Amino acid sequence: EVQLLESGGGLVQPGGSLRLSCTASGSTLSNYAMNWVRQAPGKGLEWVSGISYDGVSTYYADSVKGRFTISRDNSKNTLSLQMNSLRADDTAIYYCARAAGHGDASFQHWGQGTLVTVSS
Amino acid sequence: SYELTQPPSVSVSPGQTVSITCSGDKLGEKYAYWYQQKSGQSPVLVISQDNKRPSGIPERFSGSNSGNTATLTISETQALDEADYYCQTWDSSTAVFGGGTKLTVL
C-alpha cells in the first residue's frame, strides 16, 4: 500500500519561508510524477506545483510562480516544496499527490496533508 | 487560464441516481478526473481518464466526457457517498480543478 506523509507545516509570518517534505512508503517515487495540491480553509482544491519523475521538468501555478520551488530526491524517496515570500492567502492544507503512472496523469495517491498558516 | 465549472451543490435520495457535471471549453478533448473528499479527509480518486474506476472504487461510480462537459454519475447512491466531488483536467502541463460540488444524500 502506498503511503505518503507530508511534514514541515506550521505557523509562519508573512514574508517568511517554509519547506515542506513528502516521504513515501510502499512505493518508489522515482517512477512517478509528483505534485503539490493545497486547500485553503473551507475552500476547494488548488494545484500548486508538479515535477516529472526524473526532476527535469517542473511546473507551477501562477499564484506561486517565482516564490515556490518544487524538488525531489529520488535516492531518498522524497519530494519537497520550498515556499518563500509567504502570504496570508497561502494558508492552506498542503497535500502531496503521486500520479497514477503508465500514462495516467491522475492524482492516484494522496498524503494526509500538512497545515501551513501564514499570519502575524 | 483554463476553467472548470461545477454546480456548488447537488442532492439525492438514497438509492437514486445522481449526476454531477463539470464544464470547460472543449473538455471532451482532454481527460477528466474525479475526486471524492469526505469531511476532514484527503481526496480520493474515483474516476480516471474520463471513465476508468481505480481499484476499490464501487461500480456505482461511472464517468463520461464529451463536448464541453464531463459527468460523474453515482447510481444506487448511499449515505456514505455524501462528500465533496471535484473534477480535474490538465491544460498546458497545469492541473486545473473545478470548484467542487457538495453532494447531499437526503
Side-chain angles (χ1 to χ4, degrees):
Chain A
E1 180 186 1
V2 178
Q3 291 191 330
L4 302 174
L5 182 64
E6 302 93 340
S7 60
L11 175 63
V12 62
Q13 292 188 340
S17 298
L18 214 54
R19 186 176 183 87
L20 305 183
S21 295
C22 172
T23 57
S25 59
S27 170
T28 301
L29 294 186
S30 60
N31 295 331
Y32 302 92
M34 295 293 297
N35 295 268
W36 289 97
V37 177
R38 68 184 180 184
Q39 186 170 35
K43 303 297 184 181
L45 301 174
E46 179 189 15
W47 176 81
V48 173
S49 181
I51 187 168
S52 60
Y53 73 98
D54 56 2
V56 170
S57 300
T58 58
Y59 311 92
Y60 300 94
D62 288 343
S63 58
V64 307
K65 200 171 295 182
R67 299 188 300 122
F68 290 11
T69 302
I70 191 172
S71 61
R72 64 191 301 161
D73 185 340
N74 285 340
S75 67
K76 297 181 179 179
N77 226 24
T78 299
L79 174 74
S80 297
L81 185 69
Q82 177 67 41
M83 304 186 297
N84 298 330
S85 303
L86 284 162
R87 310 184 305 219
D89 61 359
D90 293 318
T91 295
I93 296 173
Y94 284 73
Y95 298 99
C96 67
R98 198 207 81 178
H102 304 291
D104 185 341
S106 61
F107 304 132
Q108 184 177 36
H109 299 281
W110 297 68
Q112 88 293 341
T114 186
L115 177 62
V116 172
T117 303
V118 183
S119 175
S120 55
Chain B
S1 60
Y2 195 81
E3 293 184 356
L4 293 175
T5 301
Q6 298 180 235
S9 64
V10 172
S11 61
V12 63
S13 299
Q16 299 302 302
T17 297
V18 64
S19 292
I20 299 173
T21 58
C22 174
S23 299
D25 185 48
K26 298 180 181 178
L27 180 57
E29 297 179 7
K30 309 174 187 293
Y31 277 133
Y33 310 92
W34 290 92
Y35 303 87
Q36 175 194 68
Q37 186 180 34
K38 296 183 179 180
S39 181
Q41 298 184 18
S42 300
V44 172
L45 177 68
V46 294
I47 292 292
S48 181
Q49 293 183 325
D50 296 338
N51 53 25
K52 298 179 181 178
R53 279 180 296 102
S55 175
I57 301 302
E59 292 184 9
R60 303 183 291 102
F61 289 83
S62 62
S64 63
N65 185 17
S66 179
N68 294 321
T69 304
T71 303
L72 171 70
T73 300
I74 309 173
S75 60
E76 300 178 347
T77 308
Q78 301 179 9
L80 58 82
D81 298 328
E82 188 162 285
D84 293 325
Y85 290 85
Y86 296 90
C87 60
Q88 178 251 317
T89 193
W90 288 91
D91 180 70
S92 301
S93 299
T94 297
V96 180
F97 285 95
T101 298
K102 181 177 182 60
L103 175 65
T104 301
V105 182
L106 300 172

